[in-house]
Amino acid sequence: MSAVRYLALVPVASVMLGPFFCNRVTPFLFGLPFLLSWMALSLAMTSVVMYIVYRFDPRNAPGYQ
Amino acid sequence: MNISLILIFGTMLLALWLGIRAQRGKDMSLEQWTVAGRGFGAGLVFLLMAGEIYTTFVFLGGSGFAYGVGGPAYYMLGFGSLSFVLSYWLLPPIWRFAKTHSLLSQPDFFAKKFNSPALGILVALVGVVALMPYLVLQLKGLGIIVSVASYSGLSSTQGVWIGAIVTVIYVMVSGVHGSAWTSVLKDFLVLAVAIFLGLYLPWHYYGGITSMFEAIEHAKPGFLALPATGKSAVWMTSTVLLTTLGFYMWPHMFMASFTAKSEQNLRRNAYTLPIYQMMLLFVFFVGFAAVLQIPGLTGPDIDLALFKISLATFDPWVVGIIGAAGVLTAIVPGSMILMAVSTLLANNVYRAWRTSTGNAEADNQHIGRVAKLAAPLVMLAGLWFTLQGGQTIVSLLLMAYSLVTQLFPALLASLLPSKPVSKAGAITGILVGEATVAALSVTKMTIADLIPFIPDALKDTNVGVVALALNVVAMLLVSVVTRSGVKQGSQSLQADSVA
């Protein structure tokens, strides 16, 4: 768990850096303006990353004073 | 009475029936009324938390903001990401502490953590002051929706009154159970309407989503990205940061976490809620579809973008369904806010007032009665502010967000093992932060006005950051002084006892 939880920093960095490095309309990504697509992908990545963090967290194991 | 109005009324009655029915088979004690006896499973906790995502703030404000400013509206996607990541580590310790000490509200938490009833009262007052604009926002949205969707069959004022009465009735009867079960109806209907509108409108007017964005980029180059100044990248990241820190500081969100049956339920939401937040994209598509089709909306009127384009596109029965979904986005979050304000006033202000005036301490049954009786009075205050008119939905909420965000530093400090902040430090920090927010809101100053020598790149920073920074500095300084005072005091006491 200790190393896996740092994965959560990836979507955080993506959201905070996106407006500076991806602030453009074209090229359209998945049919959306580039920045909008970037922010939506960051949100989707949050879900995936937090699922991984959840699965590797022993406190969430079945049967977990 | 037109078909649209019948659908809106029918939905209100269904929400009222669901809300009242939710209390069946439950002894509606104060703990049941406010935190559902801490017995909600993952599904209902998800709905309560998700209820916060689809309020009129998003339904009208989200589409209106996309219509009015374009790219800067994307900040709503950003703070969702960060808030849910934060919730994974923030909410479980809060829930654990609240369960151990049978706490019912956010001020209870602060008062117990810092062993300071005065801090509890301060947090309660901050909560009430911040939640009132939020309640006004829901009522304002409700008025817009009922008036426009009923083709002016009902005035905005009549719509607000009817929605307010429905909300008050089921809040008084069922408390948080009513909010949770009406959320089920709301989320299904709103989700369906948002996806339908978000896909159909771009296809109908432009032939597709990409074609819509190409047309907007051709007509208004750069509108779909962030501007170089004003609501720039610096504004966006600082606003995302502030709203993230404030997201779970709302008293009703804080209390929603108390309803969970286990901390796993709260952690699970960290990966399910972002999927739900993705639906914001469809709300944005509606606002963007209106940019070239319904030009000319400015100021507070940008909040009308969704309904203006719907009226221009659909038959009355479709507008009625959209209106019904919109009404629920006001009533359901409005009920949670109303319940939170009533609980804060009864449990944390009235209870403290009784004790301080020498009366016997009120039991929970008495406080429960006071909270239920406070609900209609709070709603009347909300109605009064709503009918005064005023700002756009997003600007109203951003100010209220700045108020609740000031609670975050003290909360975070209370969760650290080293307990670096004293009760005097926490109180001072919150007071300094709130005073700064109030001063900045009144004077409309920007960060460039406050700090003229700040580099150009940082001039667009959300001014709420200043309030938060002053809050932290004051909190730490006073904590250092009072901590050393406590240490010196205890040392001199020891010296006296030795002598």
Side-chain angles (χ1 to χ4, degrees):
Chain A
M1 168 63 187
S2 55
V4 170
R5 67 182 166 187
Y6 292 110
L7 269 179
L9 292 173
V10 177
V12 172
S14 176
V15 166
M16 296 305 272
L17 297 176
F20 295 99
F21 297 102
C22 307
N23 185 21
R24 50 194 302 165
V25 178
T26 54
F28 285 175
L29 194 58
F30 304 112
L32 304 179
F34 195 82
L35 179 59
L36 177 58
S37 196
W38 181 270
M39 298 305 282
L41 283 172
S42 300
L43 195 54
M45 181 167 49
T46 303
S47 186
V48 173
V49 163
M50 292 317 291
Y51 179 73
I52 294 168
V53 170
Y54 179 88
R55 294 297 297 178
F56 281 86
D57 187 339
R59 293 171 302 178
N60 301 317
Y64 173 76
Q65 296 169 340
Chain B
M1 185 179 279
N2 57 48
I3 181 72
S4 179
L5 201 51
I6 291 169
L7 284 166
I8 290 171
F9 266 133
T11 306
M12 278 192 184
L13 287 174
L14 183 58
L16 181 62
W17 177 76
L18 268 175
I20 291 173
R21 193 175 174 276
Q23 58 89 43
R24 284 204 320 188
K26 294 175 190 73
D27 170 28
M28 207 44 71
S29 65
L30 182 62
E31 191 177 40
Q32 276 292 351
W33 194 75
T34 53
V35 294
R38 295 170 225 280
F40 278 176
L44 284 175
V45 173
F46 171 87
L47 283 168
L48 277 181
M49 298 278 185
E52 185 53 30
I53 294 172
Y54 273 126
T55 68
T56 52
F57 163 61
V58 162
F59 202 64
L60 296 181
S63 55
F65 209 50
Y67 171 93
V69 300
Y74 308 159
Y75 92 88
M76 295 181 193
L77 291 171
F79 85 76
S81 288
L82 269 60
S83 298
F84 304 138
V85 169
L86 180 67
S87 75
Y88 189 91
W89 286 278
L90 184 72
L91 296 185
I94 290 173
W95 177 87
R96 219 174 298 142
F97 188 79
K99 187 176 168 88
T100 305
H101 298 282
S102 300
L103 307 180
L104 296 172
S105 68
Q106 186 186 42
D108 285 350
F109 182 91
F110 279 84
K112 192 79 181 172
K113 267 286 186 188
F114 287 94
N115 191 24
S116 168
L119 178 58
I121 294 171
L122 174 63
V123 171
L125 293 174
V126 169
V128 171
V129 170
L131 280 173
M132 284 315 283
Y134 209 175
L135 181 62
V136 167
L137 182 158
Q138 306 303 340
L139 293 172
K140 186 173 143 62
L142 181 67
I144 291 172
I145 291 163
V146 171
S147 165
V148 177
S150 69
Y151 295 85
S152 300
L154 274 180
S155 73
S156 173
T157 304
Q158 289 170 320
V160 167
W161 272 99
I162 294 166
I165 290 167
V166 166
T167 306
V168 165
I169 290 172
Y170 84 70
V171 163
M172 288 180 76
V173 172
S174 301
V176 75
H177 290 279
S179 299
W181 284 102
T182 47
S183 280
V184 177
L185 171 67
K186 185 202 81 166
D187 283 26
F188 276 115
L189 191 56
V190 171
L191 213 55
V193 164
I195 292 173
F196 167 71
L197 290 178
L199 294 177
Y200 179 79
L201 290 172
W203 174 81
H204 177 73
Y205 284 109
Y206 303 92
I209 290 170
T210 306
S211 313
M212 173 180 76
F213 285 123
E214 284 169 345
I216 294 171
E217 176 62 5
H218 180 71
K220 302 176 81 169
F223 181 73
L224 298 167
L226 300 169
T229 58
K231 287 184 166 49
S232 63
V234 171
W235 173 87
M236 180 158 158
T237 47
S238 57
T239 301
V240 163
L241 185 66
L242 280 173
T243 43
T244 295
L245 300 183
F247 191 76
Y248 289 104
M249 293 302 99
W250 287 104
H252 60 299
M253 289 297 282
F254 205 91
M255 287 163 67
S257 71
F258 290 3
T259 65
K261 198 185 293 184
S262 73
E263 50 190 273
Q264 280 91 335
N265 290 342
L266 295 170
R267 288 196 204 102
R268 200 171 290 142
N269 274 339
Y271 68 80
T272 52
L273 282 170
I275 301 168
Y276 195 74
Q277 180 98 344
M278 291 286 279
M279 299 304 154
L280 269 174
L281 279 174
F282 297 102
V283 175
F284 287 165
F285 293 165
V286 177
F288 286 131
V291 167
L292 300 181
Q293 302 303 322
I294 315 285
L297 299 177
T298 54
D301 283 349
I302 63 172
D303 293 333
L304 296 171
L306 184 144
F307 275 99
K308 288 284 187 188
I309 194 168
S310 297
L311 287 171
T313 312
F314 299 113
D315 291 339
W317 68 272
V318 181
V319 173
I321 293 172
I322 297 167
V327 162
L328 291 175
T329 65
I331 286 180
V332 178
S335 70
M336 286 176 68
I337 295 164
L338 182 63
M339 202 191 63
V341 175
S342 303
T343 304
L344 296 182
L345 289 174
N347 188 50
N348 299 99
V349 178
Y350 171 77
R351 194 195 288 264
W353 171 78
R354 259 185 76 105
T355 310
S356 69
T357 52
N359 289 301
E361 189 169 336
D363 61 13
N364 276 353
Q365 199 176 8
H366 178 74
I367 293 296
R369 276 200 302 273
V370 172
K372 288 171 192 174
L373 290 172
L377 299 176
V378 171
M379 187 57 96
L380 279 173
L383 284 166
W384 186 82
F385 284 116
T386 304
L387 301 176
Q388 299 298 304
Q391 300 162 288
T392 67
I393 279 178
V394 170
S395 63
L396 205 56
L397 191 69
L398 284 176
M399 188 199 75
Y401 248 112
S402 296
L403 292 172
V404 288
T405 302
Q406 303 308 317
L407 301 176
F408 186 81
L411 172 80
L412 187 63
S414 79
L415 296 174
L416 297 174
S418 58
K419 301 277 184 294
V421 169
S422 68
K423 67 177 87 169
I427 290 172
T428 308
I430 291 170
L431 284 173
V432 167
E434 302 298 356
T436 309
V437 169
L440 295 174
S441 298
V442 169
T443 57
K444 308 271 184 212
M445 289 179 87
T446 66
I447 207 156
D449 300 326
L450 282 172
I451 315 169
F453 53 83
I454 197 169
D456 281 352
L458 297 176
K459 279 188 174 168
D460 298 323
T461 304
N462 188 315
V463 76
V465 170
V466 175
L468 201 61
L470 290 176
N471 177 340
V472 172
V473 169
M475 181 178 80
L476 294 176
L477 274 177
V478 172
S479 293
V480 167
V481 172
T482 51
R483 274 281 151 77
S484 60
V486 168
K487 278 177 187 164
Q488 284 171 359
S490 62
Q491 281 168 357
S492 66
L493 276 173
Q494 285 171 352
D496 288 346
S497 64
V498 168

